[in-house]
Amino acid sequence: MELGLYQTQSMKLVMTNELRQAITILQYPTLELAHFLRQQALENPIIELIERDTHTDKVDQPTTFDKDSWFYEDDEVHPIYYVKSEDPSLPQYLVGQLTWLEIPEEEKTIVEYMIYCLDENGYLDCSFECLQEELGIEMDRIEKALGVIQQLEPVGVGARTLSECLLLQYKAGDDTSPVVQEIIEHHLPDLADKKFSQLSKKLSISLSELQKADAIIRSLNPRPCSAFSKQRSEWVEPEFFIENDDSGGFKIRMNEELVPEVTLNDRYFRIMKRHSDARSYLEKQLQKYEWLKRSLEQRRETLQNLADFLVQKQRTFFEKGYEALKPMTLKEVAQAIDVHESTISRAVKNKTIQTPKGTIQLKSLFTSKLDKGNHTEETSSAQVKIKIQRLVEAEKKQKPLSDQKIADKLKKEGIDISRRTVAKYREELRIPSSSKRKSLVV
């Protein structure tokens, strides 16, 4: 092969800085966009942000102090009003109970260490062997410390298995039955799988007795400490509001109050323009400012067009809810508002909208289309899921509907759907199989 220099022509997509910024800004939800703009203002001196008026009203405070108020006269607030109110965590709650127990200090230290080994549901998340290696103590001292933990509230804390957790709660009750205890210790999987006939024969009891035992076990809490595991509330701001108007239709209001307006800092721009050595720097920052303005305008235009299309396409949803949600795909919306499908995908990512039916994820309005037999009306997967949910809720619990029977019932309504699709939607709805939905009724 001969070596040499050759010229060739080729076409390729180049991701410019402007395009990359436009894509990034389109993906940002409202709160993240506001944060991004403030960061840009810090980096670019010619960008000036004007915060919009959010019309926050002041809350009137009481002006007198009495036994039911934390306020003094003349609006002077009592210092205790500022004390942070916070519920204790699970470890704090359990350690606090140790002060009421008369146990040696050394043993108390072991108990406290093991308390911090509990998971969010109150189960011991560490083996005895691991604890023995970490603490360097005898196994019987670990077992004794665990016994102390299992005496604390809530009942069931400190268990190592589901069976042990339920057994601790059951034994703490007033009435105990050897049959219930036997089921908890050795037959929980069979009970969960609804193998009632087999269990009845194994335990030599009637179905009526098994039904009572099943009700008792179901009344126990498999996660006794779940109330202590707090998930951080996620604060969201809708991208736009779809509201009822006076004419019986819907109006769209873009949520722009929290996003500052981007303007040019004329004063700084004029000062910098006088210095010739700063001209190159100034032109670069001005270019960034113009890119930012264009990207924001493109984002707003895309979301506005999307909102307009939603009001036309999903009018019945805004009136009746998910039962009337029409099938709608990214490709369909992209063609309707004349943008690329990937643009719509980015526009709906991590965004919410407020509608007459509540605040919802924007992407939840996109559902696939299903065949509706001989009917001309379109049916979405969301509508089918709701129908499956209702069929399950209305079924006889002694003889729940199989996936095939659900498919047959839907077919009578004109919805041609396979058993596999029913199973898929049922799993997405977190509905157990028919064998696990079966209830023991005598």
Side-chain angles (χ1 to χ4, degrees), residues 351-365:
K351 294 183 178 67
T352 58
I353 62 172
Q354 186 169 312
T355 74
K357 296 302 176 182
T359 301
I360 61 172
Q361 288 283 341
L362 187 51
K363 66 180 180 181
S364 67
L365 296 179

Side-chain angles (χ1 to χ4, degrees), residues 291-391:
W291 284 356
L292 182 61
K293 289 284 287 185
R294 282 197 294 268
S295 298
L296 289 171
E297 183 56 35
Q298 288 175 7
R299 178 185 187 274
R300 190 187 188 287
E301 183 181 352
T302 301
L303 290 177
Q304 181 68 58
N305 292 338
L306 175 59
D308 291 338
F309 180 81
L310 289 178
V311 169
Q312 296 175 11
K313 177 72 175 181
Q314 300 292 0
R315 181 185 180 91
T316 53
F317 164 77
F318 299 129
E319 293 174 343
K320 302 177 182 178
Y322 279 101
E323 295 180 16
L325 184 64
K326 294 183 178 179
M328 184 176 69
T329 62
L330 295 173
K331 185 177 180 180
E332 177 187 356
V333 178
Q335 291 176 346
I337 65 176
D338 196 23
V339 296
H340 196 272
E341 188 175 338
S342 62
T343 301
I344 300 300
S345 176
R346 294 185 181 99
V348 303
K349 185 178 181 181
N350 299 325
K351 294 183 178 67
T352 58
I353 62 172
Q354 186 169 312
T355 74
K357 296 302 176 182
T359 301
I360 61 172
Q361 288 283 341
L362 187 51
K363 66 180 180 181
S364 67
L365 296 179
F366 292 81
T367 59
S368 57
K369 179 181 177 181
L370 294 179
D371 184 11
K372 202 169 190 300
N374 298 324
H375 295 249
T376 57
E377 184 182 352
E378 292 182 338
T379 305
S380 68
S381 57
Q383 290 174 294
V384 176
K385 287 180 182 180
I386 291 175
K387 291 182 180 292
I388 292 174
Q389 181 100 39
R390 289 183 173 174
L391 286 172

